[in-house]
Amino acid sequence: MRKTSAAVLVLALGVFGIITTEMGIVGVLPRLSAELGVPPSTAGWLVGAFALVIAVTGPFTTLLASGIDRKKVLAASIAVFALSNAVYALTTQYEVMLAFRIIPAVFHPVFFSVALATAARMVVTKDGGDGEDGEDAKAATRATTTVFAGVTVGFAFGVPLTSYLAEHLSLPAAFWFGALVNLIAFLGILRLLPSLPVGQRVSYGSQLSVLRQPRMWLTITSVVLIFAAMFSVYGYFAEYLGQVTDMDGSWVSAMLMAFGIVMILGNFAFGSLLQRNPVRTALAYPALCLLVYVLVYAIGPRFVPMVLGVLVWGAVHSGGLIVTQSWLGRDARDAPEFGNSLFISFSNLGITLGTAAGGWVLSAAGARQLPWVGAGFAVAALVVMLVRLSLDRAGRRTPRSGEAAASHAAVRAAG
């Protein structure tokens, strides 16, 4: 059991390394622009291309890897991230840097989807499990919550540390840090994970069949809307605190750090709530987002209340990852890894949609109005989720109606 717990922690470390690689570059873009001799708008593609590749390729690359031993897939994927960081540290060519942003982006959704499914698989103690409320389901939720903690720790510490190393040591030192983290995760996977052959492989057609369900598309839509709600405001965190709350750069940095730390705690709090009642927790999430954005709008110009408001905001924001992954996973039980890849791809689509909408409102109406963008997306997500659940209720009523009709027919025949 200890080895299993350590293996889950190694997967969380791998996720931390991937987030540090993906998002850490945001804080060093100005220096990269100068070092590579390209304008800031061109350097921005080092971030944009990464997210775009994830959104477009995620489900397909996960399908292609679905027949390979899970340990080999995880080790190969994280090795690509370690190598890519080493290239960032050594190259002075923009084209080389861009190529090694695209390559790991292809492996990003593969690692995430396989890591989440593998963590759940390793902690299941009984064949077949006990259903939604059984001990196996709770253990799987705990494991995936731990893996997701790698995301929140990455935002809280990996991204700021990358920026700190670049500022106080050198740009290569920041990237060597990313390479080291991913290398440690690679060695940990080799050492702690058992061989995990696929066994009876699920066919491509069976995995793709989850997309034939109207319920799945409603679920996917709600995931996109929730991530749009999250990042339409968070994507302009610094602008809001700077322009509306009048915080200087030092305060904004401190608030970013506090936001990330609270996210770690919130991640586990939402994981605990999901173990108790996954559906109610999922439905509560967009409602909480709505309340938080109303709060952020109300206290935005007030310095001290906004400091406290950031902590509440971070706690709620953290739940979006684990809640939406659990919500989508309900409709992808027959193809969990493919379902996780859909989650990664469409959550990135939601980030793109949210930041685009937030940017438009920022330009047209100013930072003060940003919380209403997030609130609008949150309301839309809640509506879609309620429609999705109404299909479940209708599906449960239909068999009972059929059974009642059959019973009446039997009575008539007996009479």
Side-chain angles (χ1 to χ4, degrees):
M1 190 64 186
R2 285 183 180 177
K3 189 171 182 179
T4 297
S5 298
V8 171
L9 289 174
V10 163
L11 294 177
L13 179 64
V15 169
F16 169 81
I18 286 176
I19 290 297
T20 300
T21 301
E22 178 185 6
M23 303 305 298
I25 205 165
V26 172
V28 299
L29 269 183
R31 295 200 61 179
L32 266 179
S33 175
E35 290 281 338
L36 299 175
V38 297
S41 59
T42 302
W45 275 103
L46 297 173
V47 178
F50 199 104
L52 183 61
V53 170
I54 292 171
V56 171
T57 67
F60 305 105
T61 52
T62 303
L63 277 177
L64 291 173
S66 62
I68 305 173
D69 186 298
R70 308 290 82 190
K71 178 177 180 177
K72 293 178 181 178
V73 170
L74 291 166
S77 298
I78 204 68
V80 169
F81 275 84
L83 174 63
S84 297
N85 275 279
V87 172
Y88 304 158
L90 296 171
T91 190
T92 56
Q93 299 295 317
Y94 173 76
E95 293 78 11
V96 175
M97 176 78 82
L98 181 61
F100 277 87
R101 290 293 287 174
I102 291 172
I103 293 170
V106 172
F107 288 87
H108 177 291
V110 176
F111 186 92
F112 257 88
S113 58
V114 174
L116 289 168
T118 298
R121 174 181 170 183
M122 287 192 300
V123 298
V124 170
T125 57
K126 298 181 286 295
D127 293 333
D130 297 294
E132 281 288 324
D133 300 319
E135 289 303 316
D136 283 354
K138 292 180 180 179
T141 299
R142 284 194 296 271
T144 54
T145 300
T146 300
V147 173
F148 265 119
V151 177
T152 52
V153 175
F155 276 106
F157 297 108
V159 175
L161 186 54
T162 298
S163 180
Y164 179 87
L165 291 172
E167 184 68 27
H168 292 85
L169 292 179
S170 67
L171 197 55
F175 294 132
W176 283 122
F177 165 70
L180 178 63
V181 170
N182 286 294
L183 178 60
I184 293 172
F186 169 74
L187 296 174
I189 288 169
L190 293 182
R191 175 71 178 84
L192 295 173
L193 261 69
S195 178
L196 296 166
V198 174
Q200 185 176 1
R201 180 184 175 185
V202 181
S203 68
Y204 292 157
S206 296
Q207 295 182 72
L208 288 168
S209 66
V210 301
L211 294 175
R212 298 195 192 108
Q213 307 168 22
R215 299 175 187 183
M216 172 59 86
W217 286 105
L218 285 171
T219 300
I220 286 172
T221 301
S222 64
V223 169
V224 171
L225 290 170
I226 285 175
F227 271 84
M230 293 164 63
F231 284 87
S232 58
V233 189
Y234 176 74
Y236 303 96
F237 185 93
E239 285 82 356
Y240 191 83
L241 293 184
Q243 296 178 27
V244 178
T245 316
D246 199 26
M247 290 187 180
D248 61 22
S250 297
W251 268 101
V252 171
S253 296
M255 289 297 93
L256 277 169
M257 179 71 78
F259 191 96
I261 292 172
V262 172
M263 278 184 67
I264 298 172
L265 303 176
N267 177 75
F268 287 101
F270 275 98
S272 177
L273 291 172
L274 282 168
Q275 291 178 47
R276 297 176 187 176
N277 196 311
V279 173
R280 287 183 182 175
T281 302
L283 277 178
Y285 186 77
L288 287 172
C289 283
L290 173 61
L291 293 174
V292 163
Y293 290 140
V294 171
L295 174 67
V296 167
Y297 179 83
I299 66 175
R302 302 171 185 172
F303 196 98
V304 174
M306 192 58 201
V307 170
L308 300 175
V310 164
L311 302 180
V312 178
W313 182 7
V316 172
H317 185 89
S318 67
L321 298 168
I322 185 67
V323 167
T324 50
Q325 189 273 337
S326 173
W327 178 246
L328 193 148
R330 296 171 69 248
D331 288 333
R333 290 173 187 156
D334 295 333
E337 290 176 5
F338 181 62
N340 287 334
S341 72
L342 292 173
F343 166 73
I344 298 300
S345 291
F346 282 100
S347 61
N348 274 273
L349 180 61
I351 292 170
T352 303
L353 174 63
T355 52
W360 181 81
V361 169
L362 181 66
S363 299
R368 181 80 173 103
Q369 307 305 321
L370 279 170
W372 296 121
V373 187
F377 279 123
V379 170
L382 182 58
V383 170
V384 172
M385 293 170 80
L386 289 171
V387 172
R388 163 71 186 81
L389 286 177
S390 71
L391 293 181
D392 280 349
R393 288 193 291 269
R396 285 195 295 268
R397 283 196 300 266
T398 300
R400 287 197 293 268
S401 299
E403 288 166 7
S407 175
H408 289 312
V411 170
R412 286 196 301 270

